[in-house]
Amino acid sequence: MTEARELARRFNEDEAVWRRYEHKRALRRLLGSRTPLPENILDDLDWQEAEREGLEARAGEFLYP
């Protein structure tokens, strides 16, 4: 049972990161980017920020055994 919960938790975390990334990417494209960086670099930066936000949110949680 514990393994199933852990798998579900990981899936939910991954899904949350993906949704944050997609939101950041859509906003950047909607608002337009005036940076000379290529699109793939900007996507990587959005992904890293989404992951960092997920870690910050998780750090505030209490984990119960």
Side-chain angles (χ1 to χ4, degrees):
M1 186 70 148
T2 303
E3 289 179 27
R5 283 189 202 155
E6 179 63 17
L7 287 174
R9 184 189 62 77
R10 288 182 188 178
F11 175 82
N12 290 336
E13 286 177 0
D14 290 346
E15 183 68 19
V17 169
W18 177 257
R19 288 182 184 192
R20 280 191 299 274
Y21 163 73
E22 285 291 312
H23 179 75
K24 290 177 180 309
R25 186 176 179 204
L27 278 177
R28 178 174 38 89
R29 289 180 174 180
L30 180 67
L31 299 175
S33 177
R34 294 185 161 200
T35 180
L37 294 173
E39 185 80 13
N40 64 329
I41 299 295
L42 295 173
D43 286 346
D44 287 344
L45 291 172
D46 287 342
W47 181 261
Q48 289 174 11
E49 187 176 348
E51 283 184 319
R52 189 173 28 256
E53 288 175 4
L55 291 174
E56 290 170 0
R58 188 152 182 246
E61 294 177 2
F62 289 8
L63 300 177
Y64 297 99

